[in-house]
Amino acid sequence: MTHEAGIPLGIRFRLLSDSPQDSAAQVVNDVVVGDYRDLDTLRAFARGCDVITFDHEHVPAEHLRALEADGVPVRPGPDALVHAQDKGVMRARLDALGIPCPRHRIVSDPADVAAFAAEGDGFPVVLKTVRGGYDGKGVWVVRSAEEAAEPFKAGVAVLAEEKVDFVRELAANVVRSPHGQAVAYPVVESRQVDGVCDTVIAPAPGLDEELALRAEQMALTIAKELGVIGHLAVELFQTRDGRILVNELAMRPHNSGHWTMDGAVTSQFANHVRAVLDLPLGDPRPRAKWTVMANVLGGDYPDMYSAYLHCMARDPQLKIHMYGKDVKPGRKVGHVNTYGDDLDDVLERARHAAGYLRGTITE
Amino acid sequence: MTHEAGIPLGIRFRLLSDSPQDSAAQVVNDVVVGDYRDLDTLRAFARGCDVITFDHEHVPAEHLRALEADGVPVRPGPDALVHAQDKGVMRARLDALGIPCPRHRIVSDPADVAAFAAEGDGFPVVLKTVRGGYDGKGVWVVRSAEEAAEPFKAGVAVLAEEKVDFVRELAANVVRSPHGQAVAYPVVESRQVDGVCDTVIAPAPGLDEELALRAEQMALTIAKELGVIGHLAVELFQTRDGRILVNELAMRPHNSGHWTMDGAVTSQFANHVRAVLDLPLGDPRPRAKWTVMANVLGGDYPDMYSAYLHCMARDPQLKIHMYGKDVKPGRKVGHVNTYGDDLDDVLERARHAAGYLRGTITE
């Protein structure tokens, strides 16, 4: 999708991909297949690139520092990216900046988890490996010290966090350029099912204006203070008592910003490309009153063509974005966007299409 | 741009390209370089394609018939495409359908041109080679039999047409699928400079509703009767006396439909892809009150990056679409789209950006 956004500007992409079957490798015409964890591979790849950016945060920071030392701009740079790679580093930095987070600390073993629980409101406690988790992986909700053994088995530091009593999850998406220009997309509501993002509503319905502004300013502050270049998604909890707490950071175009492809004047991908090239950023405002994004998860419906027939015939305004991935149960294989003036209608259309493409709706 | 539209549906393109420097060859990852006039090349290319479509109309009809005989669907097919390849065939067919055209007939030599002039209102007369012309090439406006020698030198049949006293040029864009579903985009005004499209305004300002409807119906009729599959652009003259006459046909996504990329719910490219795959068509309605497309012609401004800096900073809502072509004077190398509620503002923004990208505006 970043490649799609670069085409109209005549920006040529070279892609480093795990495999030729990767989504991006199917549509980019200059693909190097290799391991992003190998510095020699990265160096060979980087030769001839004007600038390097990412669609995930897992490239080791020390390799990125080596590329920077070779003179290749890396955006976002490793000093920013580490906050999206390591939840311990992220929490420490946000604390220092006075950004509200769930109560948290690094814990050493199940007994320490019990101590952490006792310091607050008790169990349940959320445990996260500081590195490597996503979409609910690497995250555990434990109700006792006995349940807390598993996270420590990976040999990675474990972060304990209070289980926040939230009314909903929000996301504040911003983009920042090397010049220091930044734009904020409207704050969205993100609805999860089984720990995976199911639906995003832009803007977040009924969100107090002052709270929305605070969330946007929080994301802009994080982008600036951490030196983020490109897109930053700040996942937030809205608590029952009216606070906003930072859940996670992502430094790349993010699922909570996919609605912008059809719902905003400038998509998150276009603005990410512009930021990485230090071009002036595009207008982040919405084009419709409501835009809804619904993720398409892999089901057991391999016949995409007849699903397209149904979905396109039912809703001529539907925007489908499939990623060309092999369909595996539960995997995000695409998303749909709908927009309009009536939120109920827009939500129903998105959910129907996503469900039909997954195969869970078969009307 | 058709490839861009195919990506979100997971449609993989194989491209037959004249050269690896072609715009499309820079962004598609499965490129065969070869000559579209060579049947063996076409046959080898077509192996493994589910369906074939075009971004120009010049592939010889007999070769397309051979591919169809090999079992490869060709959309639009040669029987439709011949009407976009041969202006003589096109005029004869539109006459038979009762579609209003400028007065015309095939002429054999300069004396015959003089006779054609005398049959109507006299000179000037427009002469066109029936094949091979575009963007003002292959078209002559002659004021006497003496001026009429040039067109006959190419050894191609020559069509004479009255020089229409038009107030403006319009275009009716429609898309039709094998199922026979069709959608019509709003009729646009197309402004030419030196025979090349300069600006397109969607919808055509001040166009009488009845006239707009007649133009759309005319385009839908042509698409149906000629068996067009995919996008059809019908270029029209609006005459001083309130008639609408067909100027040219194009059977592919067309310059007069580029505004749809940012201005319509479904772009002409997305609908062309959907039609070629016999998928239900998308909503062709505009998303803004006014959308303006301005072509970027090649000038002597090779520094695209600093032009981007200016244009993007000046207008954060500007949509730039560059084609990655080598910049040659007068060549279409890209276009910009702007949209909004105030036509004067939307026009000024598009013209400024296109002029700046060309290098003719340097404020």
Side-chain angles (χ1 to χ4, degrees), chain A residues 1 3-4 7-12 24-31 179 262-267 270 274 277-283 285 287-288 291 304-305 308-310 312-313 315-324 339, chain B residues 1 3-4 7-12 24-31 179 262-267 270 274 277-283 285 287-288 291 304-305 308-310 312-313 315-324 339:
Chain A
M1 294 183 278
H3 166 65
E4 272 176 75
I7 293 174
L9 298 182
I11 308 304
R12 309 249 204 124
Q26 295 175 26
V27 293
V28 174
N29 79 343
D30 183 359
V31 180
H179 259 78
D262 302 296
V265 175
T266 313
S267 80
R274 286 159 78 146
L277 299 176
D278 205 8
L279 287 165
L281 302 177
D283 191 334
R285 282 178 293 183
R287 288 195 73 175
T291 303
M304 202 51 78
Y305 186 78
Y308 282 177
L309 285 177
H310 168 86
M312 291 177 177
D315 183 358
Q317 297 180 32
L318 179 70
K319 311 309 279 186
I320 298 176
H321 300 272
M322 299 301 290
Y323 309 153
Y339 54 83
Chain B
M1 292 184 278
H3 165 65
E4 270 175 76
I7 291 173
L9 298 182
I11 308 304
R12 306 249 205 126
Q26 297 175 25
V27 293
V28 173
N29 78 345
D30 184 358
V31 180
H179 258 79
D262 302 296
V265 175
T266 314
S267 80
R274 285 158 79 145
L277 299 176
D278 205 8
L279 287 166
L281 302 178
D283 190 333
R285 280 177 296 181
R287 289 194 73 176
T291 304
M304 201 53 79
Y305 186 78
Y308 282 176
L309 284 177
H310 169 86
M312 291 176 175
D315 183 358
Q317 297 179 31
L318 178 71
K319 310 311 276 187
I320 297 175
H321 300 272
M322 299 302 291
Y323 308 153
Y339 54 81

Side-chain angles (χ1 to χ4, degrees), chain A residues 274 278-280, chain B residues 301 303-316 318 320 348-349 352-357 361-363:
Chain A
R274 286 159 78 146
D278 205 8
L279 287 165
Chain B
Y301 201 151
D303 180 8
M304 201 53 79
Y305 186 78
S306 70
Y308 282 176
L309 284 177
H310 169 86
C311 292
M312 291 176 175
R314 186 180 192 266
D315 183 358
L318 178 71
I320 297 175
E348 190 278 332
R349 286 161 49 213
H352 178 91
Y356 199 93
L357 288 164
I361 295 174
T362 53
E363 68 151 32

Side-chain angles (χ1 to χ4, degrees), chain A residues 3 24 34 49 60 66 90 96 101 109 145 152 179 193 247 249 251 283 310 336 362:
Chain A
H3 166 65
C49 289
M90 181 265 284
C101 293
D109 55 37
F152 295 94
H179 259 78
V193 173
N247 181 16
L249 302 184
M251 289 183 198
D283 191 334
H310 168 86
V336 298
T362 52

Side-chain angles (χ1 to χ4, degrees), chain A residues 311-344:
Chain A
C311 292
M312 291 177 177
R314 184 180 195 266
D315 183 358
Q317 297 180 32
L318 179 70
K319 311 309 279 186
I320 298 176
H321 300 272
M322 299 301 290
Y323 309 153
K325 287 182 180 175
D326 290 335
V327 172
K328 289 183 196 168
R331 187 184 198 187
K332 287 179 193 165
V333 296
H335 70 271
V336 298
N337 285 333
T338 54
Y339 54 83
D341 290 335
D342 178 345
L343 180 55
D344 288 340

Side-chain angles (χ1 to χ4, degrees), chain B residues 174-188:
Chain B
V174 297
V175 185
R176 184 172 173 274
S177 77
H179 258 79
Q181 189 194 11
V183 293
Y185 287 96
V187 175
V188 297

Side-chain angles (χ1 to χ4, degrees), chain A residues 155-363:
Chain A
V156 179
V158 175
L159 181 74
E161 294 184 351
E162 66 171 311
K163 177 130 183 20
V164 175
D165 183 26
F166 62 85
V167 285
R168 58 175 169 176
E169 294 188 54
L170 303 172
N173 285 283
V174 298
V175 185
R176 184 172 173 274
S177 77
H179 259 78
Q181 192 194 7
V183 294
Y185 288 96
V187 175
V188 298
E189 177 177 339
S190 171
R191 296 186 183 171
Q192 324 290 318
V193 173
D194 299 332
V196 178
C197 175
D198 179 73
T199 315
V200 168
I201 306 172
L207 182 62
D208 181 79
E209 209 170 307
E210 191 274 325
L211 219 55
L213 193 63
R214 206 194 313 158
E216 287 177 22
Q217 284 174 338
M218 205 184 277
L220 290 168
T221 299
I222 294 170
K224 182 180 174 214
E225 295 297 331
L226 272 51
V228 177
I229 303 300
H231 192 267
L232 169 73
V234 181
E235 298 183 49
L236 300 161
F237 295 123
Q238 181 178 359
T239 67
R240 210 163 295 278
D241 54 5
R243 289 172 304 143
I244 283 183
L245 307 177
V246 173
N247 181 16
E248 304 276 357
L249 302 184
M251 289 183 198
R252 52 175 165 80
H254 185 253
N255 201 175
S256 65
H258 284 0
W259 68 274
T260 62
M261 297 178 81
D262 302 296
V265 175
T266 313
S267 80
Q268 63 167 351
F269 298 100
N271 263 337
H272 183 75
V273 169
R274 286 159 78 146
V276 165
L277 299 176
D278 205 8
L279 287 165
L281 302 177
D283 191 334
R285 282 178 293 183
R287 288 195 73 175
K289 187 173 174 192
W290 298 107
T291 303
V292 169
M293 189 285 313
N295 279 319
V296 178
L297 301 186
D300 41 18
Y301 200 151
D303 180 8
M304 202 51 78
Y305 186 78
S306 71
Y308 282 177
L309 285 177
H310 168 86
C311 292
M312 291 177 177
R314 184 180 195 266
D315 183 358
Q317 297 180 32
L318 179 70
K319 311 309 279 186
I320 298 176
H321 300 272
M322 299 301 290
Y323 309 153
K325 287 182 180 175
D326 290 335
V327 172
K328 289 183 196 168
R331 187 184 198 187
K332 287 179 193 165
V333 296
H335 70 271
V336 298
N337 285 333
T338 54
Y339 54 83
D341 290 335
D342 178 345
L343 180 55
D344 288 340
D345 173 66
V346 173
L347 257 174
E348 189 279 332
R349 287 160 51 213
R351 284 184 181 143
H352 178 91
Y356 199 94
L357 287 164
R358 183 179 187 175
T360 50
I361 296 174
T362 52
E363 68 151 26

